[in-house]
Amino acid sequence: MSVPRHQVTSDPVVVEARQAFEQRVKDKAKLDPKPKAVGRFQPASTPKERFQDAKDIIAKSDAGKRVGSGEADWLRSYIELPEYRGFQKVEEFAKRDDAG
């Protein structure tokens, strides 16, 4: 027996809630349109620049801006690498009050 993905109803409360949700989605799409494709994301060639790329992507995401799928995929794999973790530790140490 197959299970329907959604159930159609004529309940006015449900219909109104669905329409309100769909309108919010449309309004958000108008305010924050999908960025134009600019090509495949290419990380920088040096370790220091790659770390800066990662920080920029994280800052963009934290600011609520759209992050491309290529950027997101690269970042997910990059933050697991010793290169990123090493730069992260150095940066955290430099921010400490007792750091030289």
Side-chain angles (χ1 to χ4, degrees):
M1 172 193 274
S2 66
V3 177
R5 293 182 72 169
H6 65 281
Q7 189 167 353
V8 178
T9 181
S10 60
D11 182 342
V13 174
V14 174
V15 170
E16 185 179 330
R18 184 182 308 123
Q19 289 171 342
F21 172 76
E22 289 170 354
Q23 188 60 48
R24 285 193 306 272
V25 170
K26 288 177 186 176
D27 292 345
K28 179 161 176 37
K30 288 178 188 174
L31 294 174
D32 192 15
K34 200 171 197 175
K36 293 181 181 176
V38 292
R40 189 167 181 239
F41 174 73
Q42 291 292 320
S45 59
T46 68
K48 189 172 183 178
E49 290 172 338
R50 284 191 294 271
F51 181 69
Q52 187 59 52
D53 282 349
K55 288 177 31 176
D56 292 345
I57 294 168
I58 292 168
K60 187 179 358 177
S61 177
D62 289 348
K65 296 180 181 174
R66 288 184 185 260
V67 173
S69 62
E71 291 174 308
D73 291 343
W74 174 79
L75 181 63
R76 274 192 290 275
S77 63
Y78 180 70
I79 62 175
E80 298 297 323
L81 296 177
E83 178 181 296
Y84 174 81
R85 292 193 307 256
F87 276 110
Q88 183 77 10
K89 286 180 182 178
V90 169
E91 191 171 87
E92 287 173 5
F93 180 76
K95 289 179 183 177
R96 290 179 27 189
D97 289 338
D98 62 345

